[in-house]
Amino acid sequence: MLEQLLIFTRGGLILWTCRELGNALKGSPIDTLIRSCLLEERSGLASFNYDVPGANYTLKWTFHNELGLVFVAVYQKILHLLYVDDLLSMVKREFSAVYDPCRTDYGDFDDVYRQLRLEAEARAEEVKKSSKLGGRNVGKKQDQGQKTKYDQSGKRNGGGEMKSDSGNGDSENGNKLDNNNSHVNRGNFVEEVKPNGVVNGKENLCSNNGAFDVNKLKNLRSKGAKKNDTVVAPKVSKAEPNKKITKKNRVWGEPAPPVKLDYTDSVAGNGATHVNVVSVNEGESMMDKEEVFSSDDEDEEDEQAENNAQVKPKSKGWISSIFPSIVGKANLERTDLEPALKALKDRLMTKNVAEEIAEKLCESVAASLEGKKLASFTRISSTVQTAMEDALVRILTPKRSIDILRDVHAAKEQGKPYVVVFVGVNGVGKSTNLAKVSYWLLQHKVSVMMAACDTFRSGAVEQLRTHASRLQIPIFEKGYEKDPAIVAKEAIQEATRNGSDVVLVDTAGRMQDNEPLMRALSKLIYLNNPDLVLFVGEALVGNDAVDQLSKFNQKLADLSPSPNPRLIDGILLTKFDTIDDKVGAALSMVYISGAPVMFVGCGQSYTDLKKLNVKSIVKTLLK
């Protein structure tokens, strides 16, 4: 049974809801649907599952794009209601006939809805019964076919007999063994069988009855040994050969061997090392520079295209070529949109957008345009491109404001440091970009402490210490082979005592499928509850970006002991200066995680960190 069915406008005005159901929904499934699907261009999905403690719903929806209406049905996830899609289409058809933009009360639509629901349920029952009857009839036909094909004696009815013996009679595939002519006919392949057991010049190891002849195999071995007698075998010294020295694997947790493994310098008793060297001054960080986006080039291209279009009418047949695109049909259909959507999908994929994301985006744009009336003197391709541009802007624009500087000052007023954890796969540049963020914070008069929690990779502590010494900021380190969650906790405690404003936690790189390391990362986040979890990813990846982010979020959710696990809050995109116009990884990462791109690494110096320019990215993706 349905839990709720409601109709509202794209502006959020609820026009009608089913009073007959009257069930109070647990949680906020409608708001989550609007926020997670409709606003993030996932409206092309077939359904949406809302899972919170105590509430598991499935939501299905449809649009009337010309009128700007949304129809949503909500029912329990465990139920499989076959009539929901049919009911939504019928409600859409009937309500559109009585819709008036100046009207807000549709209480008289209740009777119409009851009749539509009864019709939809009756159709679903008929389909279910017909499917059951069809399955029974198919089963009966199969049983009858088997009975007519074979009888109980193993003979085939209506055809040749099936003999149980393995005599020299004719086989089913027509292969025959003719002993007189000494030939074996196997389809089109003929082998000559000689009386002495040689087939095609090679000795046959099988006897006449098909059994394997062991004596012939022994004869072959003896012949081979005689042939190899002339080969001189290498002399083997009687001295005992030297045994191969194998390295003994070190078992973690046992007492450390006398060999020194930790080559980091001695650490102070509290774990904080203060290094005083000449500070690095490379100028102002690019984060504080506003990147001016100019559309002059785009306007010039449009003007040139229009001028070319005015010249083209001289060619023969120009009226028939542009007339359908200018006037078109009254309402757009899926067949009208498919050519333009396919071209857009191919263009996105060439810009390094994951194929799955490009497909979903095109489905969402098609759902938002289908049934919409095409404006006069407007091409379908330009309409689709405009809709895609609006969709990309909505996806890349952050849904919630994350102002690190504001949040740092808010945490400082509460007497605690602002904690940022950098996570990601191996080799993406977490430590380097952590230093860039430190440099940007220092320029805003924010005191920073680094926490070396990468206790797994050799040289990770020394690398971070080098950045700290150049930037003249403290670093908290405990060396290697330590629990990173405990190191991070002690670093936060030390920052609280010293009055540091921000703690930047460096973690070890790990692949998304490495469960032990992902469990350790989940423990670190759960134990320390950071204010911001930044995923550091490369702009070079394409389809792998979807796999990385989705599995990182999934592992953090599955391995966390908390009922409300912390997931990725933001993205730091590195190596952005190496990809030219293939900027699709930014779109793929934001779409799959819902987290905004907060920083973009575009070089190797401390100043090479900037914000993501949404307009520039969208223009690059669609040009």
Side-chain angles (χ1 to χ4, degrees), residues 602-617:
C602 55
Q604 300 185 20
S605 62
Y606 290 135
T607 60
D608 294 331
L609 191 72
K610 63 180 182 180
K611 300 177 183 177
L612 183 71
N613 192 319
V614 175
K615 292 184 179 179
S616 176
I617 296 296

Side-chain angles (χ1 to χ4, degrees), residues 35-52:
R35 183 174 59 253
S36 301
C37 285
L38 305 187
L39 293 181
E40 294 188 3
E41 296 303 326
R42 291 179 171 87
S43 57
L45 301 176
S47 62
F48 172 73
N49 293 328
Y50 177 76
D51 297 323
V52 296

Side-chain angles (χ1 to χ4, degrees), residues 38 290 332:
L38 305 187
E290 293 293 336
L332 292 173

Side-chain angles (χ1 to χ4, degrees), residues 281-293:
N281 187 5
E282 297 185 355
E284 185 181 0
S285 175
M286 297 177 66
M287 280 290 296
D288 301 321
K289 297 179 181 179
E290 293 293 336
E291 186 177 356
V292 179
F293 174 74

Side-chain angles (χ1 to χ4, degrees), residues 21 50 95-96 115 168 176 236 267 295 337 363 377 433 456 458 478 486 488 512 523 552 565 616:
L21 300 176
Y50 177 76
F95 189 85
S96 301
Q115 183 64 29
N168 296 331
K176 299 180 180 179
V236 181
V267 185
S295 58
L337 301 172
E363 287 293 330
F377 298 96
N433 286 273
F456 185 78
S458 301
K478 285 291 186 179
I486 302 301
Q512 61 269 22
K523 176 185 176 183
F552 253 82
S616 176

